[in-house]
Amino acid sequence: MESIDIHPRALREAATMILEASGSEPEEARIVADHLVLANLSGHDSHGVGMLPAYERSLGNGTLKPNRTVELVRDDGPIMTFDGGMGYGQVVGRQATAAAIERCRSTGVVLAPVRYCHHLGRIGTYGEQVAEAGLASLHFVNVVGHQALVAPYRGTDARYSTNPICLSLPGSDAQPPILLDMATSRIAHGKARVAHNMGEQTPEGSLIDHRGRKTRDPAVLFKQPVGALTSFGDHKGYGLAVFCELLGGMLSGGRTAQPEHEVEGTICNNMFMIVFDPERLIAKSAMEHELAALVAHVKASPAADPEEPVLVPGDPERAMRVERAEAIPVDAESWRQVVAAGERLGVPAGRLEAIAA
Ligand code: NAD
C-alpha cells in the first residue's frame, strides 16, 4: 500500500492544529495529539491520527464533547467512580488515571471505573501512565455507541465490539515495564478494513460470514448481510470480552452492548481500572529480581524461527518506537482522509501538506 513518511513531530503538529480548529483548548489538543501519535509510533496505526475523521463525525453529531474534565461521581476511599461526560477519552481517561494513582499512594489499591468516555484510544497509554508512577494496573474496557462488530463464540452475528484489556507492571533499570494491551477480537476492525482496501485476505479464523461460516474474505464486513469478527482464543477470548462488558460497561454505571441502550453513531468506552502498589505485596528488590529472571528464562527458549526471537508483552511497541522515531509511514488513504477532515474543520489542506512534507 502506498504510504508517506511523516516525522512524528510534524504529525503531532498537524493533529494539534486540526484538534484546535475543531474546538479543543490548546492543552486538550496537545494531549490528544500526543496520544494518537504515540499509537502510530507504537505500530498501532488503527488508533493513531487516522482516528481524527471519526472524531470529526462524533463532534458533528454532538456525541463528543470537547474540553470536558472528568467528574468524580462517587468517592468511597479506595473506590473512585468517574464519569467522562463523553469528553475526549485521551483526556478524561488520563485525568481519572492520574487521580487513581494519587489515591493509590495512600490506599495501596484503587478500584477506579470510568464511564462515558469518547474513544479512549490505545488502552496501553493508561497502563504506561500507571507504570511510570511505579504502580501496576488492570484495565477492562467495553466499546458501545456504534454497530456491534464481534460475534460471541458459537454465534453467527455481531453482538458486542473489540473490548480491549490491558495489564501492566512497572519495570526497573534492568527491565522495562511489562505491558499487555490487546483487543479481545482476533484482529482489529481497522486491520480488516486495510486488508479489504488492499484486496488481501485476513488471518485464518478471524472472520465469519453472516451465516457463521469461517472466512478469510474481509468483504463480509463491508457488505449486507454483514459478517463479524471473532474472539481470539475461541471461548476464552469471548469469556474475557463478556467480562469487559460486565466490569467496564455494567459496574462502571455506564452501559453494556445489550440492545436497550441507544446506538447513536459514536465511540463510547467504559473502563474498569484497578491500580495497585506492588511494593505493598513484596519488596521492590525481590520483584525486580524475579521479573528480570522470569523474562530472561522465557526469552532463552530457542526460537522456532531464528528471525523471530521470543518477546514479552510490550517489546514490539518499544521496538517500533525506535524504528519509527524519525519517520512514521502513514498510508496514503488515511492521510487523505485526515487532510479532508482538517479542511472541513477549517485547516487549509495546503498547511497540513506543508507540515507533512
Ligand atoms: P496486538 O495484537 O498488536 O498486541 C497485543 C499485545 O501482544 C501487545 O501488548 C503486544 O506487546 C503483545 N505482543 C505482540 N506480539 C508479541 C510477541 N511476539 N510476544 C509477546 N507479546 C507480543 O494488539 P491488538 O489486539 O491489535 O490491539 C491494538 C490496540 O488497539 C491496543 O492498543 C488496544 O488498546 C487498542 N484497542 C482499543 C479499543 C478501544 O475501544 N479504545 C478497542 C480495541 C483495541
Side-chain angles (χ1 to χ4, degrees), residues 44 47 119 121-123 143 162 179-181 183 191 269 314 317:
H44 295 298
H47 289 71
H119 195 226
R122 187 182 150 261
I123 306 305
V143 198
T162 52
L179 187 112
L180 178 67
D181 170 31
K191 288 180 185 160
N269 280 144
E317 288 75 13

Side-chain angles (χ1 to χ4, degrees), residues 276-294:
F276 65 97
D277 183 353
E279 287 184 51
R280 302 261 190 135
L281 300 171
I282 58 168
K284 189 170 187 224
S285 56
M287 182 172 72
E288 290 185 354
H289 170 80
E290 200 63 25
L291 182 62
L294 178 78

